[in-house]
Amino acid sequence: MNLRLDTPVQYVKGVGPRMGALLERKGVYRVGDLIEYYPRAYEDRRAARNIASLLPGEIVSLKAQIVSIYSIPMGNSYRKIYDVAVKDATGQIHCKYFRIPYKGYFDNFRPGQEVRVVGKVTLYRGQREFHHPDIFDAAKDEAGQEGLLPIYEETEGLSSRKIMKFVEKALADSGDTIPELLPSWVLEKYKLPLRKESLHKIHKPPQLADHSFSQLKSPYHRRIIFEEFFWLELFLALKKAGLQREEAPPMKRELALAEKLIKSLPFQLTGAQKRAFEEILTDLCAAHPMHRLIQGDVGSGKTIVAMLAATVAVANGYQAAVMAPTEILAEQHFQNATRLLEPLGLRVALLTGSTGAKDRAAIQNALKAGQLDVIFGTHALIQSDVEYQNLGLAIIDEQHRFGVHQRNELKRKGVFPHFLVMTATPIPRTLAMTVYGDLDISLINEMPAGRTPIVTRVVYENKRVQVLSFMRQQIEQGRQAYVVYPLVEESEKVDLKDAVSEYEHLKEMFPKIKFDLLHGRMKAEEKDQIMKRFREGATQVLVSTTVIEVGVDVPNANMMIVEHSERFGLSQLHQLRGRVGRGTQKSYCVFIMGRALSEESKARMEIMAETTDGFRIAEADLEMRGPGEFLGARQSGLPGFKMAHLVRDAEILQEARTAAFELLRRDPKLVHEDHTQLRAELTRSQGAVSLAGVG
């Protein structure tokens, strides 16, 4: 039976509707998805191993007998660590699971059972262990299954062995329909094997396959990784080519307002701020719209640079719009602008969902009549009834919170608006150049002079009383504090402190301190009122969830306490810590950990204790968790990765980027015969990949 790549997966021999439904849970809907459901590791059966010979760091396969299966409660938590002890003639080793692979997984095993264990040997507290290995019933091993066997991510009712059979059948029945997508000159230049051959070898390695397979570094893995990166880079190259073809009347270097603003500041601009502003000026004076990203750590002074850009637009007769993801952040920008821009004669206003009908009508009329120079707001700025007289500059803060649709709506509000986007999510520069490859990047990597370093401490929960006592001392000295929790309300499933109940508890402990509670389930108006009270000093301690993660600026708040900090990612922890240290007084951040800690959680907390450098933290975050969040932070439509890894495969990424941009230089409209298949694939997937740059 010949299968097409778009044939529903249930029609692969042996799959059927029931197994097809299980595969769909893993994102496998069509034959093409099944062929691209790559092994996550390989089991090497060519060299028998025993427990005594195991070395830390090795990925091994061995036969053993189950000694015991038991679970260990994690403190007062509902979570458990599962331990499967196995032995052979040479010794015993523990297989530990900090999460269940799927419900009922451990019901498959019993003491005395012969199993095959496949996984990476880990050294933990001086003992060799497996963490989350694959365990298979040895009795179900089939004769002839030797050599290097692929291991696939399982789900309940769908074992790795079954998936291997389904993939083999799909490849056998659809081999003739697998197209070669990369041009011949790319294959030749980068010494890449054919796609069809690579898919077959990845799913069924040759008998003489070396260790490069286990490390996902064989020529065949490299080919698929290159292709995944190539699609991403071609997407970005096409987008950039389209942006560069747009035309805009160049602005003039009108710097009188900018110079007045700089002179009014109580501090000197850093070299990085001056450099970023000069790069923006160059863009504004070019013949096509600016599409620039300002990337800077928390507190590095991105907003001042954006305000300087706004003064240049206004001096050239244009309006500027500053769009933020939350009302709290939009109001904060507006308040800063009132202080900085109004004394220069600029007319500013704030427009959000909470703006009253009467004020909204007045602001919209003034905006349309050109009686406002800079407008601040949220998504309200792109509503259909909002019109601008002459929008020339759109500034977007925390741009990963906005999608393509919102940016396009803002674009339609102006004839040719320049775009300046900002992010406080640090990304290593080489990665940023790739993930944000359609944007030019200005990096603000210096902190303003006079910023007081934040004292960071990581403690266990038995030190909580001392931490809260120190917080009380800071409050008594006239300071303010944040206390952040991972949950809004108590959960039966997880034993973690929650914001609502702890807010009540803290009020009882410290009756003289004024507390307030903030979380994401509150209405926008209520949140704004709470933040206003805190900014004005009416509230001394703000008990919150991560809703205060981005953008909140209260200089008098000098203490941040994060409960159950092991439950947060590195990026979140860094953003939370960045809420303090914004004034002149010494600031403190205390991360309180629960007792049930994984090795990864401990490593995260060690990094936070060691450094406040957002770029160093971002690199560690990428190494530990992978790059999913940073890709997820980009606009919808980016091709995803099934095998490629932005950190591990950085060299291949650079090659793919070079190839994609060279392709468009050689053949901007993709009309060459060698690019026919590639163009057809772009056309087929144009819902995901913009063809605007092809023309």
Side-chain angles (χ1 to χ4, degrees), residues 439-463:
L439 299 171
D440 296 306
I441 297 174
S442 290
L443 188 63
I444 301 182
N445 54 1
E446 296 175 52
M447 296 302 278
R451 288 279 301 218
T452 309
I454 301 167
V455 178
T456 302
R457 294 287 182 267
V458 178
V459 301
Y460 283 102
E461 55 191 358
N462 61 351
K463 299 288 186 186

Side-chain angles (χ1 to χ4, degrees), residues 410-529:
L410 199 50
K411 193 173 184 177
R412 280 193 278 270
K413 301 292 184 183
V415 182
F416 52 85
H418 293 271
F419 272 88
L420 182 63
V421 295
M422 302 188 288
T423 180
T425 304
I427 305 175
R429 185 171 176 81
T430 51
L431 179 58
M433 287 173 65
T434 299
V435 179
Y436 296 105
D438 53 326
L439 299 171
D440 296 306
I441 297 174
S442 290
L443 188 63
I444 301 182
N445 54 1
E446 296 175 52
M447 296 302 278
R451 288 279 301 218
T452 309
I454 301 167
V455 178
T456 302
R457 294 287 182 267
V458 178
V459 301
Y460 283 102
E461 55 191 358
N462 61 351
K463 299 288 186 186
R464 181 179 292 110
V465 172
Q466 291 95 313
V467 172
L468 293 174
S469 176
F470 182 73
M471 178 193 77
R472 186 191 62 214
Q473 292 171 22
Q474 293 299 305
I475 302 302
E476 288 171 350
Q477 292 171 24
R479 307 295 171 226
Q480 291 167 275
Y482 301 94
V483 184
V484 177
Y485 295 90
L487 298 179
V488 177
E489 293 169 344
E490 189 176 0
S491 166
E492 291 182 2
K493 296 180 180 177
V494 238
D495 182 26
L496 298 175
K497 292 189 177 297
D498 64 279
V500 174
S501 60
E502 289 303 309
Y503 164 67
E504 297 296 338
H505 180 56
L506 287 170
K507 284 199 299 182
E508 288 177 15
M509 282 182 70
F510 304 105
K512 293 183 180 179
I513 293 177
K514 295 172 185 172
F515 289 88
D516 227 332
L517 174 66
L518 181 71
H519 58 75
R521 292 185 193 170
M522 293 175 168
K523 293 181 179 178
E525 189 175 336
E526 188 180 0
K527 284 191 278 191
D528 288 343
Q529 286 300 316

Side-chain angles (χ1 to χ4, degrees), residues 220-266:
Y220 312 106
H221 290 89
R222 180 173 175 269
R223 153 63 206 243
I224 297 301
I225 290 166
F226 184 100
E227 182 179 305
E228 290 186 346
F229 282 144
F230 182 80
W231 285 113
L232 169 69
E233 295 303 333
L234 186 58
F235 176 97
L236 295 171
L238 287 167
K239 195 160 184 282
K240 193 161 192 174
L243 295 175
Q244 288 173 342
R245 278 199 286 273
E246 293 178 355
E247 293 185 359
M251 292 187 187
K252 296 177 182 177
R253 288 177 67 95
E254 296 285 354
L255 298 178
L257 287 173
E259 288 168 356
K260 283 183 182 178
L261 175 55
I262 292 170
K263 285 177 183 175
S264 73
L265 298 174

Side-chain angles (χ1 to χ4, degrees), residues 68 77 82 134 151 174 184 206 227-228 269 276 291 300 322 401-402 481 483 566 580-581 583 606 645 655 669:
S68 61
S77 170
Y82 286 83
D134 292 285
I151 299 172
S174 66
S184 58
E227 182 179 305
E228 290 186 346
L269 293 182
H291 288 81
S300 60
V322 181
R401 306 274 178 119
F402 296 102
V483 184
E566 76 278 4
V580 296
E606 285 171 9
H645 189 288
E655 289 180 340
K669 295 187 181 296

Side-chain angles (χ1 to χ4, degrees), residues 391-404:
L391 179 62
L393 174 63
I395 299 169
I396 300 176
D397 196 8
E398 287 304 327
Q399 73 100 0
H400 68 274
R401 306 274 178 119
F402 296 102
V404 176

